[in-house]
Amino acid sequence: MASDHGGGGAAADASVNNAVGLGLRASLEETTADVACKDSQSLPRPLSISDASGSVNGSRFRVAYQGLPGAYSEAAAAKAYPNCEAVPCEQFDTAFDAVERWLVDRAVLPIENSLGGSIHRNYDLLLRHNLHIVGEVKYAVRHCLLANPGVKKEDLKRVLSHPQALAQCETTLAKLGVVRESVDDTAGAANFIAAHKLQDAGAVASSLAAEIYGLDILARDIQDDSDNITRFLMLAREPIIPVIDRPFKTSIVFSLEEGPGVLFKALAVFALRDINLTKIESRPRKNKPLRITDDGSNGPLKYFDYLFYVDFEASMASHNAQNALRHLKEFATFLKVLGSYPRDMSEA
Ligand SMILES: O=C(O)C(=O)Cc1ccccc1
C-alpha cells in the first residue's frame, strides 16, 4: 500500500515529523471504521469554513475529506493512513484550509476514476491551493442503491448522488428511468433521503452509508463495470523527501507557447529519457484563459490557453526526472511540481 505515514520507509516525511513533534500522531486504539460506525447522532460535525479555532483536540493523525461519514473519500483516507481520524468537511476548500491552518495533517482528494474519468474541478483545486501531493491510493468503489426502509425500486422517481457516482451507474439508473440529482457526496445523498424520510427518492452510496443512515440496500454493485477504481491524492503542507529505492510518481503542471508541435516537444523530454507517463490532462488556464498573438498580416489572434497536468513514473530524486524538468523549463511558460510520492502498487 502506498502511504507516506506509518510505514517507516525511507521517504522521510517532513510534515509527519512535524506532526509527531506537535503531538498530532495517530493513536492506534480506534480506527476510522470505528468512528464511521457510531450512530449518526454522535458522528463528528463536518468542518465548515468558520471552524478556524485551531482546536486540534487529540493526538491522532487527522485526515480531512469532503463529505459525510460513509463517503468513499473517508475509506480512501483509512486505506492511506490506517489508524487516522478522518475529519468530514462540507467542501473541498474547507478540507484544504484545514490543512493550511494546521487543524488537520492531510486532505484527501478524489482525482480520477476508471469509469468516469478525471474529476476536473479537483485538478483546478490543486493549483488554487498551495498543498503538496504526498501520496496516492487506488480504491475500488462499489456502489449500492439505497432507499428508506419499505421503499421499493418501483417507487423511486429520483436518485441522488455525487455526479461521478451517477455517471458510473448510468446503465442501472437509465433502466430504472429515474431522474438523477447531483449532490456534493454520496454519503450526503444517503443522509438527505434518510433525514427527509423520502419515499420516492433513492441514493447511490456505499454499504457503509446504508448502515450509518439506517437505509435499506435495494441493489449492490450497480456500477457499469465491476472494475470501478477511483484514484485519490493525499495532500500536505510540506512535500515529502523523494527517494529512488522504491517506485515513485511525480505530478507536474505546465503551460506552453502557442505553435505547432509544442506539446509533442514537451512530451519528448520524457520519452527521450524513457520516463513513462501515466496521465495527461489539459484544463483551461482560468486566470489567463486567452492568449493573444499578433501574426502580422491578420492582426491579433486569440487562442485558448491551457494548463497540462502530467503524471510520470519517476522520483524527483532521480537525475533523469530532474534533467527532464530542466529541459521542459527551457520552453514551458509555467511549470510547477505538485508532488513526488510513492506509487500505490496495491490491488485496489
Ligand atoms: O462522494 C463520495 O463518497 C466521494 O468520496 C467522492 C466520490 C464519488 C464517487 C466515486 C468516488 C469518489
Side-chain angles (χ1 to χ4, degrees), residues 66 71-73 110 141 143 162 164-165 168 184-187 230 232:
Q66 195 258 328
Y72 298 108
S73 300
V141 167
H143 292 302
H162 186 283
Q164 278 274 331
Q168 291 159 20
D184 283 341
D185 72 288
T186 56
T230 297
F232 294 83

Side-chain angles (χ1 to χ4, degrees), residues 1 14 20 23 47-49 57 130 142 146 149 152 167 199 218 224 274 287 295 299-300 335 343:
M1 173 190 314
V20 173
L47 277 185
S48 71
I49 204 77
N57 57 358
N130 222 2
R142 302 180 68 174
L146 313 182
K152 296 190 218 44
Q199 302 299 303
L218 299 184
D224 290 350
D274 240 355
N287 55 351
D295 80 339
L335 172 65
R343 275 164 57 194

